[in-house]
Amino acid sequence: MSRHLRSVLCAFMLALAAQAVQSAQITFYEGENFHGRAFTTKRSVTNFKSVGFNDQASSVVVDSGDWVVCEDAAYNGRCVLLRRGAYDSVK
């Protein structure tokens, strides 16, 4: 994945949660290859600063659902769609 996607994940704007099924889940990891501290959510989060994970993600696992991740708070900036799967590096 591109280096820009890492900055996209910095603010972690997750949008499609309203359309996703109740069981939708995504986990962000501090290190590449799913190492380090992790943050998991099943709901839309407009600003990851409030959960102490802003500018931290280096890898992601989408367990279920489709998630839109934007680079800035409040769904601003460049956004990408992440589908079910493992993203071992978001640099």
Side-chain angles (χ1 to χ4, degrees):
M1 302 195 102
S2 72
R3 183 163 179 82
H4 186 69
L5 185 54
R6 180 181 167 95
S7 66
V8 168
L9 293 174
C10 292
F12 308 121
M13 299 309 99
L14 307 175
L16 289 181
Q19 293 179 330
V21 294
Q22 197 83 18
S23 64
Q25 180 172 302
I26 189 168
T27 302
F28 298 91
Y29 294 87
E30 191 172 46
E32 290 185 355
N33 296 309
F34 321 108
H35 294 313
R37 216 167 39 108
F39 173 73
T40 300
T41 188
K42 293 183 177 184
R43 62 179 179 82
S44 179
V45 178
T46 60
N47 189 338
F48 274 42
K49 186 175 183 179
S50 64
V51 295
F53 216 78
N54 195 42
D55 295 333
Q56 299 299 314
S58 292
S59 54
V60 179
V61 173
V62 177
D63 293 309
S64 56
D66 293 342
W67 296 84
V68 173
V69 181
C70 301
E71 65 184 342
D72 296 324
Y75 313 107
N76 290 304
R78 182 173 173 263
C79 300
V80 295
L81 174 67
L82 299 180
R83 297 187 182 274
R84 185 175 182 181
Y87 303 84
D88 62 354
S89 177
V90 292
K91 289 183 177 179

